[in-house]
Amino acid sequence: LGYAYPPLGAIYLAPNITATWIAVMFIFILAGMGIKTEEFTKAFQRLRFNTFLQLFNFGAVSSIVFGFSRLLVAANALPQSLADGMTICASLPITVNMVLVLTKSAGGDEAAAIFNAAFGNLMGVFVSPALILGYLGVRGQVDLAKVFFKLGLRVVLPIAIGQFLQKFVTPAKEFVKKYKPYFKKAQEYCLVFIVYTVFCKTFYNGSDVDVADVFLMIALQFIIEGVVSK
């Protein structure tokens, strides 16, 4: 869909407002309303689990993708630029909103997902540039203040609003509880919308890479994801 008419999601739907702010904040306000404060405390205290998760996300995933991408380059199955892009993406922390929505859809621990995703984004300020330098020999810079600002405004604040509504605004809490399946679907649709606008922007801005290579890389990402998840 994004390839069919990129301007729709890149310009006309105002993604810098609707996708970047409204959709993300909607997801986390609902998360804050559905998760008890005690669950966040419990998630923070699971030291072994949190440590394993961060090591797996940054260490195991990035090394597997790096090795796999090098094999594809050696076999002339993927351009060098896309292979490097796969490695860079694998070295970055996962977006918090995607982690939350997918965890909720799978019936997982939402509090642990939010904590580890947010903490991973903070760690990524230091870890990701080091990984990219080690794998590709490319230096990168991350604006620490900007990362904290975005996490605070897009994640912490909406969750705090949701927690406030949960504890002090009973009608809102009961309304969300009553229509929980519909709100769950709404969160999923918000995530799909965010991904859609990203694809639209990519195709709208153009690239020197063939569209076929882009879809090949997407397919390979699913294959790698299936291998790693097992």
Side-chain angles (χ1 to χ4, degrees):
L1 292 176
Y3 178 69
Y5 188 61
L8 178 62
I11 300 176
Y12 300 130
L13 292 178
N16 291 336
I17 298 174
T18 55
T20 304
W21 292 99
I22 296 176
V24 172
M25 296 185 76
F26 174 76
I27 289 172
F28 287 108
I29 287 176
L30 288 179
M33 294 182 70
I35 303 175
K36 296 180 180 179
T37 307
E38 297 77 15
E39 294 179 22
F40 284 110
T41 304
K42 184 179 179 181
F44 177 77
Q45 294 173 345
R46 299 172 64 183
L47 183 60
R48 288 186 179 181
F49 173 76
N50 296 335
T51 301
F52 168 78
L53 202 58
Q54 297 302 328
L55 289 174
F56 179 81
N57 286 341
F58 282 110
V61 173
S62 65
S63 60
I64 291 172
V65 172
F66 174 72
F68 190 64
S69 65
R70 297 311 103 176
L71 287 175
L72 292 174
V73 171
N76 292 321
L78 197 68
Q80 182 73 46
S81 58
L82 284 182
D84 291 346
M86 288 176 62
T87 301
I88 293 173
C89 287
S91 301
L92 299 175
I94 305 175
T95 57
V96 188
N97 52 303
M98 180 170 292
V99 170
L100 171 62
V101 174
L102 295 180
T103 300
K104 189 170 185 176
S105 298
D109 189 335
E110 296 174 48
I114 292 175
F115 170 76
N116 278 285
F119 184 67
N121 274 263
L122 295 178
M123 284 186 59
V125 173
F126 310 100
V127 177
S128 294
L131 288 173
I132 294 171
L133 176 62
Y135 289 135
L136 305 177
V138 177
R139 295 184 180 274
Q141 294 181 344
V142 180
D143 190 335
L144 181 60
K146 189 175 182 179
V147 172
F148 273 93
F149 176 75
K150 287 185 176 180
L151 281 176
L153 211 54
R154 297 180 188 175
V155 179
V156 178
L157 178 60
I159 289 178
I161 293 174
Q163 291 279 290
F164 176 83
L165 293 174
Q166 178 192 130
K167 292 180 179 297
F168 301 107
V169 187
T170 304
K173 176 184 175 182
E174 293 301 322
F175 180 78
V176 171
K177 185 177 180 180
K178 181 179 179 180
Y179 297 100
K180 184 176 180 179
Y182 297 100
F183 280 109
K184 180 180 177 181
K185 283 294 182 183
Q187 286 180 301
E188 294 173 357
Y189 292 145
C190 282
L191 180 59
V192 172
F193 175 70
I194 292 169
V195 174
Y196 166 71
T197 58
V198 170
F199 274 101
C200 285
K201 288 181 180 179
T202 301
F203 291 123
Y204 181 78
N205 293 329
S207 174
D208 57 352
V209 178
D210 292 337
V211 175
D213 289 331
V214 174
F215 284 105
L216 173 62
M217 185 183 67
I218 294 172
L220 291 172
Q221 291 285 6
F222 279 109
I223 294 172
I224 294 173
E225 179 67 24
V227 172
V228 171
S229 62
K230 291 180 180 180

